[in-house]
Amino acid sequence: MQFGALLIDGFREALDRKIFWVLIGIAVVVAAAMFCVEFRSDQVIFLFGLHTTPNTNWDPATEAGRKGIVDIGVSVMDLILGWVGTTLMVIAAAGAFPAMMEKGAIEVVLGKPIGRARLFFYKYLASMTLVALVSVVFVGLTFVVMGVRWKVWMWPYLLSVPLSLLMFSYIYCVTVLVAVKTKSALASVLLSLVAWFVFWIFGYLGAQFSANPSLERFEKWRAPIVAASWVPPKTLHVTYFAQRWCGGSKAEDVLKMADMPEFKSADMGDAGNMVRDTLLVEAHLMRTDPVSSIASSLIFEAAVLLLAAWSFRRQDF
Amino acid sequence: MTMLHTTELTNWAVDLIDVHKTYRRKVKALRGVHVQVGRGEVFGLLGPNGAGKSTLVKIMMTVVHPDRALGTVLGRPIGHRGKLGRIGYLPENHRYPGYLRGEQLLDFYGALSKVPRVQRRKNAAYWLERVGMKDWAGTRIREYSKGMMQRLGLAQALMNDPELLVLDEPTDGVDPVGRRDIRLLLTELKGQGKTILLNSHLLSEIELVCDRVAIMKEGLVARQGPLRDLTERVLGYRVRLGGERAANAARIGSMSEKLAAMGARIEDHVVQLASQEIGRVNELIDLLRAGGLLIESVEPRRLSLEEVFVEVLGAGSHVGAARPT
């Protein structure tokens, strides 16, 4: 009953916020934009015939063309899982805790027969549920448009919902901790973005030192950096999991090339070697064990949330 | 933090013993407070700003952690979650989410108090009507005036049909008619056997509704007891004269020196005597009667709650908090 009340309250609060409607609006605009594009064997039609271009890459009748269309879907997925979607979702949910902890509001809630830890986790889950709802709307709309309009029913695309929620939760644990400490939505958004950048740096360095052959000369740094990269949430891994699981042509090409022994050892000049190294790192990220990546990230997340809950329990209001 | 508990059942609805709280190791908000509120009584908590009243209430409601606290609330240790479901709480300067409508707010807080859905609907309708907010039930709270927020806050505190009602400045921002309505409601609730703990700056209000009061100063209870006991002390007597004013004025004029010698003064047909001795009153009556004056009534002048309050606070005290260490 208490969780239901907090969930409904969270939903009402979200409906009252402009950012919630901005997110829904973005979902509708993206879906509408996708709907305005039609792929035919010989041409791509924009805006229902207003503009056409010859179609060489995205013929829905061929396997290669379909994979090309999947790549477009993956790009949309990147939008959701990447900084645009996740940042907007963090901004949308950042106000939940500061609003609850506002002077004059928190006293009433704490005066009810609900434990502080329970209140904290119910509020957290309510925020997650709302973000899941937004994600379902976005992914659902774009999925249907791809299926109906582009004739590609890309089922792995639906993984965007849990993956976006996972990505969001990696960042949101920091948002909640800062919100509990500062009671400020702005501070919690800003510090979450800083934390996200730090997570990304850790992940980036970990991937580079794991798979980039040009960094082999820094062997003594490899083990500690790779080990350290496994501590914070692996935000970098999430988008690569999505690419791999969706099975678009880009992921397929990257993995195929990375498996070629001659590609690894070839000297292609400075620029060529840089591209090669990037591909090898991307292939490494796509092949990272998702279970250990997600599990270790969730352990970090749980530790941050427990710290936030502990701080919330101890505070005087 | 030391939380000492006693599960002993008492007749007190609230029995707070030796409550201590220091903020940031500097400000001693409470320095060993003892407060007892009997079941079914209306209890007033008084004190200047910073005396520790709100901190005490917040400790009862688990909003603030005490450094040390012994005692019970509704027979259970302070901070007992289950018992919070039997308490209604209206905090000072409460702020409710502006996006909610009046009826939604009551439903939300009712659910947090674990009131079943059907009962919540009934209670919400009843209390909205009772606090005069029925017509505003469907309006968003951000449209409400301060007085309306207070009324709604009171309804919120009553949603769970509490045994104990804790009200922190319930009439803050409420107009005189609203204050009277709230006073009548409190009297009605007292009649239903509910215990009410009232924290208010308005001494006149406390005087009208409370059975017992505690006056706090610098984190301690400086005085506590039944209102009539605190205001029992006689400061002097008022002797009201009967008969015609003009004739009385002439007679009083002839005995003015004697009256002054007794310490009596005349104010609009009433002789005021600043002595607590009954013998002096009788001497005054004899003097007045001998001078041909008629006595209509003689009544003792007792302390008002305001006078008790000022006396407890001491001259020149404006801040009730203990000095920071």
Side-chain angles (χ1 to χ4, degrees):
Chain A
M1 184 194 297
Q2 291 174 324
F3 176 66
L6 284 165
L7 184 65
I8 292 170
D9 180 59
F11 185 66
R12 285 175 177 149
E13 188 185 357
L15 290 180
D16 193 57
R17 290 203 172 148
K18 283 184 187 134
I19 185 76
F20 179 81
W21 294 107
V22 167
L23 281 167
I24 299 292
I26 289 173
V28 172
V29 167
V30 170
M34 289 166 72
F35 196 81
C36 292
V37 181
E38 188 186 353
F39 296 104
R40 289 196 185 157
S41 295
D42 54 341
Q43 58 186 4
V44 183
I45 302 168
F46 296 93
L47 293 167
F48 309 98
L50 209 67
H51 177 73
T52 57
T53 58
N55 188 359
T56 51
N57 297 318
W58 304 291
D59 179 0
T62 66
E63 185 60 25
R66 290 169 68 83
K67 283 196 171 164
I69 294 173
V70 167
D71 282 339
I72 297 173
V74 171
S75 302
V76 178
M77 207 172 187
D78 280 348
L79 180 74
I80 310 165
L81 301 177
W83 68 271
V84 177
T86 308
T87 304
L88 287 174
M89 287 196 272
V90 167
I91 291 171
F97 275 86
M100 181 182 77
M101 293 167 72
E102 227 174 325
K103 201 161 176 55
I106 187 71
E107 289 94 330
V108 188
V109 180
L110 291 181
K112 303 298 174 195
I114 180 168
R116 287 198 187 194
R118 184 171 291 200
L119 174 65
F120 175 90
F121 284 109
Y122 281 0
K123 190 74 184 170
Y124 174 79
L125 289 175
S127 296
M128 292 294 285
T129 310
L130 280 168
V131 169
L133 181 77
V134 173
S135 182
V136 164
V137 170
F138 196 119
V139 174
L141 277 175
T142 47
F143 173 78
V144 169
V145 170
M146 281 192 281
V148 171
R149 189 78 169 146
W150 299 354
K151 308 286 184 281
V152 175
W153 289 99
M154 194 175 142
W155 294 102
Y157 179 77
L158 294 179
L159 283 170
S160 298
V161 175
L163 283 175
S164 63
L165 209 55
L166 190 68
M167 182 77 160
F168 169 76
S169 76
Y170 288 171
I171 313 298
Y172 193 56
C173 64
V174 179
T175 313
V176 169
L177 176 64
V178 179
V180 166
K181 288 282 185 190
T182 65
K183 301 182 184 79
S184 158
L186 183 65
S188 57
V189 169
L190 292 176
L191 287 175
S192 301
L193 296 180
V194 170
W196 189 4
F197 180 67
V198 172
F199 298 162
W200 185 87
I201 292 281
F202 270 83
Y204 177 80
L205 289 177
Q208 290 292 336
F209 276 85
S210 298
N212 189 336
S214 302
L215 295 177
E216 275 170 7
R217 60 183 185 277
F218 301 109
E219 184 57 31
K220 67 171 180 179
W221 292 103
R222 188 175 174 274
I225 287 177
V226 171
S229 76
W230 279 87
V231 176
K234 268 60 79 182
T235 52
L236 192 61
H237 291 180
V238 180
T239 44
Y240 286 98
F241 292 154
Q243 284 184 21
R244 181 177 142 195
W245 292 335
C246 283
S249 61
K250 187 193 165 196
E252 214 169 67
D253 293 346
V254 168
L255 292 173
K256 216 181 273 176
M257 286 176 83
D259 285 342
M260 290 159 64
E262 59 275 25
F263 178 72
K264 273 187 190 171
S265 55
D267 185 1
M268 301 183 238
D270 283 350
N273 286 347
M274 203 179 280
V275 172
R276 178 203 62 196
D277 294 347
T278 305
L279 283 177
L280 288 172
V281 170
E282 283 188 341
H284 166 79
L285 284 166
M286 282 181 204
R287 285 193 167 128
T288 305
D289 174 28
V291 175
S292 45
S293 168
I294 293 171
S296 60
S297 300
L298 290 179
I299 288 170
F300 180 93
E301 187 183 322
V304 173
L305 283 177
L306 285 173
L307 182 65
W310 178 73
S311 174
F312 181 67
R313 281 194 69 181
R314 286 186 65 232
Q315 279 186 43
D316 289 332
F317 294 97
Chain B
M1 182 187 78
T2 316
M3 283 281 278
L4 301 172
H5 300 313
T6 169
T7 52
E8 191 181 316
L9 281 175
T10 66
N11 284 326
W12 300 114
V14 178
D15 185 12
L16 304 177
I17 304 163
D18 200 23
V19 183
H20 291 256
K21 176 67 189 176
T22 303
Y23 288 109
R24 291 173 188 163
R25 297 180 186 172
K26 270 187 178 176
V27 182
K28 289 189 173 177
L30 300 175
R31 301 185 295 148
V33 168
H34 297 250
V35 167
Q36 276 85 32
V37 181
R39 287 180 193 267
E41 74 180 11
V42 182
F43 188 90
L45 199 54
L46 305 173
N49 293 331
K53 307 179 305 284
S54 288
T55 298
L56 189 68
V57 166
K58 284 180 177 183
I59 285 174
M60 277 175 59
M61 300 311 297
T62 74
V63 177
V64 165
H65 301 287
D67 298 332
R68 179 184 163 88
L70 184 70
T72 57
V73 176
L74 295 176
R76 301 301 297 237
I78 299 162
H80 187 272
R81 284 282 154 206
K83 277 295 172 188
L84 286 177
R86 305 299 311 134
I87 303 174
Y89 177 38
L90 175 69
E92 187 185 10
N93 299 325
H94 50 82
R95 188 178 287 191
Y96 297 123
Y99 51 84
L100 291 180
R101 299 171 199 281
E103 59 197 357
Q104 290 174 340
L105 179 117
L106 295 190
D107 188 72
F108 172 59
Y109 287 117
L112 287 185
S113 295
K114 298 183 176 175
V115 179
R117 184 195 291 262
V118 177
Q119 194 59 43
R120 285 205 303 270
R121 282 197 190 139
K122 277 187 196 164
N123 290 3
Y126 174 76
W127 285 116
L128 281 167
E129 166 97 57
R130 191 65 190 76
V131 299
M133 292 292 293
K134 188 183 157 196
D135 294 341
W136 293 84
T139 307
R140 286 192 201 279
I141 290 165
R142 62 167 67 102
E143 315 273 325
Y144 285 13
S145 69
K146 178 120 196 246
M148 290 159 88
M149 291 281 274
Q150 284 298 100
R151 286 166 182 264
L152 189 71
L154 202 54
Q156 171 277 126
L158 288 159
M159 270 296 284
N160 56 337
D161 189 21
E163 285 173 50
L164 168 64
L165 196 56
V166 179
L167 307 175
D168 205 343
E169 303 291 354
T171 53
D172 189 19
V174 181
D175 58 35
V177 177
R179 280 186 197 168
R180 192 205 56 196
D181 290 349
I182 291 175
R183 219 166 36 231
L184 290 173
L185 178 61
L186 295 184
T187 310
E188 185 187 311
L189 292 168
K190 187 195 168 194
Q192 292 169 10
K194 295 192 190 303
T195 307
I196 302 168
L197 175 62
L198 193 58
N199 183 4
S200 176
H201 281 106
L202 296 175
L203 301 177
S204 54
E205 223 156 64
I206 294 267
E207 214 162 7
L208 282 170
V209 293
C210 290
D211 303 311
R212 294 174 69 246
V213 296
I215 301 173
M216 290 187 69
K217 183 192 174 187
E218 296 178 358
L220 287 168
V221 173
R223 205 166 289 181
Q224 179 172 200
L227 192 60
R228 62 172 181 278
D229 289 0
L230 293 179
T231 55
E232 192 181 45
R233 187 149 50 93
V234 174
L235 294 176
Y237 290 88
R238 282 194 195 97
V239 180
R240 183 174 289 280
L241 302 174
E244 286 204 7
R245 281 176 183 254
N248 284 347
R251 284 168 186 150
I252 285 169
S254 66
M255 61 177 77
S256 60
E257 278 181 21
K258 287 180 183 172
L259 286 172
M262 289 182 79
R265 59 195 171 87
I266 319 290
E267 263 177 31
D268 189 30
H269 230 47
V270 175
V271 183
Q272 304 250 20
L273 183 67
S275 171
Q276 295 153 17
E277 290 170 38
I278 193 77
R280 303 274 291 164
V281 185
N282 280 291
E283 281 176 28
L284 175 67
I285 292 169
D286 289 346
L287 178 69
L288 294 170
R289 297 267 295 141
L293 289 158
L294 292 172
I295 310 293
E296 193 175 281
S297 66
V298 179
E299 55 189 46
R301 195 176 80 76
R302 297 182 190 281
L303 275 174
S304 69
L305 186 56
E306 188 178 294
E307 284 164 325
V308 176
F309 185 79
V310 171
E311 185 183 281
V312 168
L313 233 65
S317 293
H318 300 293
V319 178
R323 288 176 192 281
T325 51

